[in-house]
Amino acid sequence: NNTISAITALPAAIPTGKILQTLQMTEGTQASSTSTSFVDTSLTLAITPSATSSKILVFASFTGGNNTSGAGGKYTIERGSTDLSGGNSFNNNNDNCSGYHHNNVMMSYLDSPSTTSATTYTVQMKASSSGSVFMNTNSTLGVLILQEIAA
C-alpha cells in the first residue's frame, strides 16, 4: 500500500494511449445549404498518422441552425469519402422546431483509418427536409480538432 504521492506510474498491465499529435482549425464564416444530401463545410482538416494502428479522435464544435418549421439541420463527419455516421448523422439540430433556431453543435468520433497517408476529415451538413441549414450562425467560430492516439 502506497500513499498517493508515492505512486509515479500505472502498473504495466494497464494500457494507456499516447497523444502523438494534435491539429486544430477554426472557421468563422457562416455557411448555409438547402440540400437534403450531405454537403461539405469549410471545417476540414488533414492529418497524417504515424502508424497504421493509430486512432484519430475527431472533435467538432460550432453553432448550427435551421430556418423552417420541421426542417432541422443534420451534421456528420466524413473521412475522405466515408461518412463516419454510416449515412445517418451525429447531430440533429432543432428538428421539428418552429421558426429559425440555432444552438451549439458538438460531435466527436474515435476513428481507425488504418493508414499512414494524409487523411482528411470534413464536417458535413444537410437540411432534413425543406428550408435551409446553417453553420457558424451569429458570427460564431467553428472548431475542428484532430488528435492522433497511439494504439
Side-chain angles (χ1 to χ4, degrees):
N1 293 330
N2 289 327
T3 64
I4 295 290
S5 61
I7 299 173
T8 59
L10 292 172
I14 298 175
T16 59
K18 179 180 177 186
I19 296 174
L20 301 177
Q21 59 176 315
T22 300
L23 302 176
Q24 172 182 285
M25 67 88 56
T26 59
E27 174 59 58
T29 304
Q30 179 173 297
S32 65
S33 175
T34 57
S35 176
T36 55
S37 298
F38 281 118
V39 295
D40 290 350
T41 71
S42 54
L43 278 178
T44 186
L45 187 59
I47 190 168
T48 303
S50 59
T52 57
S53 60
S54 291
K55 301 206 180 289
I56 305 298
L57 186 55
V58 184
F59 297 99
S61 176
F62 52 91
T63 303
N66 65 296
N67 70 347
T68 305
S69 177
K74 295 183 183 289
Y75 303 92
T76 192
I77 301 166
E78 183 181 62
R79 176 196 357 103
S81 60
T82 301
D83 178 355
L84 297 179
S85 72
N88 299 304
S89 63
F90 286 115
N91 188 290
N92 295 331
N93 182 274
N94 297 315
D95 224 359
N96 299 316
C97 291
S98 60
Y100 176 78
H101 293 274
H102 61 92
N103 61 18
N104 291 330
V105 176
M106 296 186 72
M107 300 183 290
S108 60
Y109 186 80
L110 183 61
D111 190 32
S112 300
S114 300
T115 185
T116 55
S117 298
T119 304
T120 301
Y121 291 86
T122 303
V123 172
Q124 294 187 313
M125 65 181 182
K126 71 176 180 178
S128 63
S129 57
S130 61
S132 296
V133 59
F134 295 90
M135 186 177 99
N136 294 338
T137 56
N138 292 342
S139 302
T140 58
L141 193 65
V143 179
L144 180 61
I145 299 171
L146 305 177
Q147 288 188 320
E148 180 185 3
I149 302 172

